[in-house]
Amino acid sequence: MPQPLISPYGSWKSPITADLIVAGTIGLGSIVLDNTDTYWIEARATEAGRNVIVRRTTDGKITDLTPSPFNVRNRVHEYGGGSFTVKDGIIYFSNFSDRRIYQQTPDSQPQALTPVADSHYADGVVDSQRQRLICVREDFSNSSHEPVNQLVSINLNNGEDIQILASGCDFYASPRLNPDGSQLAWLTWNHPNLPWDGTQLWVASILEDGFLGEAQLVAGGVDESIFQPEWSPNGMLYFISDRSNWWNLYRWHNGEIEPLYGMEAEFGLPQWVCGMSTYGFQSANRLICTYTEDGNWYLASLELQTKQLEVIETPYTSISSLQVANNRAVFIGGSAIASTALVEIDLTTDNITVLRKSSELEIDKGYLSIPQPIAFASENNLTAYAFFYPPQNQDYQAPPTEKPPLIVKSHGGPTSSTSSTLNLKIQYWTSRGFAVLDVNYGGSTGYGRAYRQRLKDNWGIVDVDDCTNGAKYLTAQRLVDGDRLAIAGGSAGGYTTLAALTFRDTFKAGASYYGISDLEALAKDTHKFEARYLDGLIGPYPARQDIYKMRSPIHFTDKLSCPVIFFQGQEDKVVPPNQAEMMVEALKNKGLPVAYILYEGEQHGFRRAENIKRTLEGELYFYSRIFGFELAEAIEPVMIHNL
């Protein structure tokens, strides 16, 4: 092997290009098992972000089922999820453009089931006895009020026959039929709660006319988050609750709630989208589940009579979308050295089969940075967590006295988390000579309810402190260059980015992806799901308007003294473009280097391949001009004002 070339950090030529990332990668999600077939959704950046249902039969044949221009997606709770289900070979899916539900078999074209209406549908379950689909509907028909959420039934023989089964709460999710079809369980929550704050689990009998009898509250409330109710094959109701501080497994039987396995680990997730799943039943006596502990995910079996938990060994540190049926478990798994893949485990032999990879790219490990989980001290004598990625490229090394520039990543949500799964967008940076710190700041999930609630009333403080202290920790350890510290994030992570750049003096540059600069504007102009989110993160509005202004970077541009690049979708309803544009104008007027790239046709998050490529390369170009290093490859320049 030739000796590595000596070249400054940031100037290393990498085989992990933006073209390679967008052309060779698909998004995998929303697994459905029907008899012996496996269905899932692929999000394809090369098809303008279109979501396609794909089927794999037992003979290994993989087939696309969703013809163009259909796009299997919905906007229930704005973020969607749970966009299709399958029963005995018949597929029911939500189409994004016209918001209708379609039905289809693998051998036929989609046929519209529901009429044209200003409604979105999600989280469907087929009620075979009554020939109907039960699902969540979000109705936007009354434009003068926020949309109305309900549980509805849709007649599979006459899609115009839609009946309301439950209404009156602000939000509904997870309708689940018991095995004999006599009972329905579901979740609700109301403003100002989000589903990770407090939800309620209900059960009702189904009457002869198909409507629901009197609903019984099983568990939950304003201070208890219930996640994923499921009926076991023998008719007991299971669910996940954080009543112990950790999202653990419980079951309800004969009116009593029984804990299954107490553990300082998270079996649940923040319910940002519909249809999320972390467990399923192999049999009435055995449950297959996933949980996260210290930032890594595990697969396990839980014997329901003895309550013994046993880890099922896999090479994966990230496991999601678990579905279980017919002695097989199917999930999306990833690790630090392998892109996510659709994986099947034979539960009788523990044999693992990769059904589909998110990327067929085979990248030499010599170009991959292995994340190192770190813990570091932050404010108030508390500990924060992150994954540290040192620069790695087998073809290069930096001059001996040089320290690498650092990009601190602040994830979105803010109630979310990052993981150690191979992320080519991170490796894009590390293989060019950047260090990356991916922070699970206070408020992140995976570390218990108390850690999640550190952000209560403290958004813009705790998250900023943790990101800042992470950068300071690495600087003190002499692992990075303290004069070349950048911070980047999207959505809520974009707010953390802008707040850190405005209210702290640690960072020298930043990149905001559809980030928030004016909290007051966000409180006035966002969608229903998050309309009261800020009540818990900051305080009630307008009663605490003073705090909203005090923590909004747009009002303190005089404190901002470093360059920023902004990326924004023109059709973003979560964080409208005016949020970025106000900040850009303020920076222009102040004479600071600033760049702004607006994408037509994009919403909250970028789905088109050309825009994902432009964003990666644009951010790299921006840093090259700000930090003063030469690029190893030609990149389309970005207009940087005041430079």
Side-chain angles (χ1 to χ4, degrees):
M1 181 178 293
Q3 288 294 315
L5 299 173
I6 306 297
S7 184
Y9 290 116
S11 297
W12 300 353
K13 185 175 178 60
S14 170
I16 306 173
T17 64
D19 282 316
L20 177 139
I21 291 172
V22 299
T25 305
I26 56 173
L28 298 170
S30 299
I31 301 166
V32 175
L33 305 183
D34 181 55
N35 299 319
T36 58
D37 293 341
T38 302
Y39 298 77
W40 66 91
I41 281 182
E42 293 185 3
R44 298 174 178 169
T46 54
E47 297 183 37
R50 191 169 76 94
N51 288 349
V52 177
I53 298 173
V54 181
R55 179 181 70 152
R56 185 184 190 273
T57 51
T58 50
D59 60 3
K61 183 180 180 181
I62 294 177
T63 310
D64 285 2
L65 299 181
T66 310
S68 182
F70 289 98
N71 183 4
V72 183
R73 186 177 160 215
N74 70 79
R75 287 176 66 175
V76 169
H77 305 160
E78 190 61 33
Y79 296 101
S83 293
F84 83 105
T85 191
V86 187
K87 182 70 172 180
D88 296 329
I90 303 176
I91 304 156
Y92 305 92
F93 71 86
S94 294
N95 184 47
F96 185 67
S97 61
D98 61 8
R99 302 176 293 280
R100 303 172 77 179
I101 292 181
Y102 286 75
Q103 56 186 356
Q104 176 190 9
T105 67
D107 302 317
S108 69
Q109 291 293 303
Q111 302 293 320
L113 176 63
T114 56
V116 175
D118 197 6
S119 297
H120 298 271
Y121 301 92
D123 231 352
V125 58
V126 177
D127 182 357
S128 299
Q129 290 183 22
R130 302 166 185 87
Q131 280 297 290
R132 63 182 183 173
L133 183 72
I134 297 174
C135 60
V136 177
R137 179 177 70 178
E138 193 165 51
D139 183 1
F140 289 79
S141 59
N142 189 340
S143 59
S144 63
H145 296 83
E146 66 179 14
V148 175
N149 293 64
Q150 299 163 326
L151 287 185
V152 300
S153 68
I154 301 169
N155 189 323
L156 296 180
N157 300 310
N158 174 15
E160 295 191 2
D161 178 15
I162 300 176
Q163 304 295 327
I164 298 172
L165 300 182
S167 62
C169 292
D170 290 324
F171 300 97
Y172 290 83
S174 307
R176 298 291 185 265
L177 278 169
N178 71 340
D180 66 10
S182 64
Q183 291 182 298
L184 184 73
W186 69 94
L187 296 177
T188 66
W189 64 96
N190 291 296
H191 288 314
N193 269 359
L194 278 295
W196 46 85
D197 297 322
T199 53
Q200 293 180 311
L201 171 59
W202 301 88
V203 170
S205 296
I206 301 178
L207 306 177
E208 287 188 11
D209 58 7
F211 289 95
L212 301 181
E214 184 177 354
Q216 178 180 356
L217 178 63
V218 173
V222 295
D223 296 314
E224 179 184 3
S225 174
I226 307 295
F227 175 82
Q228 195 192 344
E230 297 286 356
W231 297 91
S232 68
N234 60 352
M236 277 194 274
L237 182 61
Y238 288 69
F239 59 93
I240 291 170
S241 166
D242 67 355
R243 59 177 56 190
S244 70
N245 181 56
W246 300 89
W247 268 316
N248 281 187
L249 284 156
Y250 295 81
R251 66 183 166 199
W252 180 66
H253 184 58
N254 292 330
E256 299 292 331
I257 293 175
E258 179 185 4
L260 292 179
Y261 192 83
M263 189 175 180
E264 290 189 354
E266 301 276 50
F267 290 77
L269 291 164
Q271 194 169 296
W272 279 102
V273 297
C274 297
M276 302 175 78
S277 176
T278 61
Y279 73 95
F281 295 94
Q282 182 181 359
S283 67
N285 297 318
R286 191 180 191 214
L287 176 150
I288 307 299
C289 57
T290 64
Y291 65 90
T292 181
E293 187 176 30
D294 297 328
N296 287 325
W297 282 87
Y298 301 87
L299 185 71
S301 67
L302 179 62
E303 295 297 331
L304 298 175
Q305 291 181 329
T306 62
K307 298 184 181 179
Q308 294 297 308
L309 186 79
E310 182 178 351
V311 172
I312 300 172
E313 295 296 333
T314 78
Y316 305 104
T317 57
S318 174
I319 299 173
S320 63
S321 302
L322 174 66
Q323 295 291 329
V324 183
N326 299 319
N327 284 320
R328 61 193 181 110
V330 183
F331 58 86
I332 297 166
S335 71
I337 58 172
S339 297
T340 56
L342 188 72
V343 178
E344 178 180 286
I345 291 188
D346 184 328
L347 295 173
T348 61
T349 64
D350 288 347
N351 287 339
I352 297 175
T353 303
V354 175
L355 307 183
R356 185 76 145 186
K357 295 180 180 179
S358 63
S359 174
E360 293 297 333
L361 302 171
E362 295 293 338
I363 298 173
D364 191 304
K365 293 180 183 178
Y367 300 104
L368 297 180
S369 177
I370 304 302
Q372 304 168 9
I374 65 170
F376 54 90
S378 196
E379 305 304 306
N380 300 313
N381 297 315
L382 296 174
T383 299
Y385 304 93
F387 292 103
F388 174 59
Y389 295 78
Q392 174 61 37
N393 185 320
Q394 64 185 6
D395 299 332
Y396 292 92
Q397 65 183 41
T401 59
E402 186 182 0
K403 300 296 180 187
L406 172 71
I407 302 175
V408 172
K409 294 285 187 182
S410 55
H411 65 69
T415 309
S416 184
S417 63
T418 188
S419 76
S420 60
T421 302
L422 178 64
N423 183 337
L424 291 181
K425 291 181 182 178
I426 288 179
Q427 303 294 334
Y428 177 87
W429 296 106
T430 55
S431 61
R432 285 168 170 75
F434 284 79
V436 172
L437 185 69
D438 206 0
V439 184
N440 274 324
Y441 49 77
S444 302
T445 55
Y447 303 91
R449 184 180 179 97
Y451 192 84
R452 202 163 71 238
Q453 290 194 318
R454 283 189 193 177
L455 218 54
K456 182 174 174 58
D457 298 329
N458 283 301
W459 192 29
I461 298 175
V462 166
D463 50 324
V464 172
D465 285 337
D466 290 351
C467 288
T468 300
N469 286 323
K472 290 179 177 179
Y473 170 80
L474 294 177
T475 302
Q477 296 291 313
R478 300 184 60 79
L479 295 172
V480 300
D481 183 351
D483 291 325
R484 292 190 293 174
L485 304 177
I487 183 169
S491 188
Y495 167 67
T496 300
T497 292
L498 293 174
L501 294 170
T502 303
F503 302 119
R504 306 289 190 278
D505 58 5
T506 302
F507 298 101
K508 311 304 179 185
S512 170
Y513 295 68
Y514 36 92
I516 302 152
S517 61
D518 187 345
L519 293 171
E520 191 173 6
L522 181 67
K524 294 177 179 178
D525 185 15
T526 191
H527 56 97
K528 179 182 178 181
F529 182 70
E530 294 182 80
R532 301 287 300 279
Y533 192 12
L534 301 187
D535 284 23
L537 295 174
I538 298 168
Y541 184 85
R544 294 316 311 267
Q545 183 183 40
D546 57 326
I547 300 178
Y548 282 74
K549 289 187 174 181
M550 184 173 62
R551 295 191 199 163
S552 293
I554 191 64
H555 299 305
F556 298 93
T557 53
D558 58 308
K559 295 185 177 182
L560 185 56
S561 57
C562 68
V564 187
I565 184 169
F566 295 81
F567 301 94
Q568 179 68 43
Q570 191 174 52
E571 298 179 12
D572 193 335
K573 302 298 184 185
V574 180
V575 180
N578 69 316
Q579 291 273 306
E581 289 160 5
M582 287 188 293
M583 201 70 174
V584 170
E585 288 305 310
L587 291 170
K588 280 185 184 178
N589 294 336
K590 195 177 180 187
L592 285 168
V594 60
Y596 178 49
I597 298 178
L598 179 68
Y599 297 121
E600 292 185 7
E602 291 283 19
Q603 298 167 5
H604 197 63
F606 307 143
R607 291 176 170 83
R608 298 176 185 269
E610 63 272 21
N611 296 339
I612 297 170
K613 167 183 164 68
R614 176 62 169 153
T615 300
L616 276 169
E617 294 185 341
E619 189 177 347
L620 176 61
Y621 177 85
F622 185 77
Y623 292 147
S624 74
R625 296 298 308 278
I626 300 304
F627 290 148
F629 58 83
E630 296 295 325
L631 292 171
E633 58 246 301
I635 288 177
E636 181 184 352
V638 171
M639 169 64 72
I640 304 175
H641 300 276
N642 300 326
L643 186 68

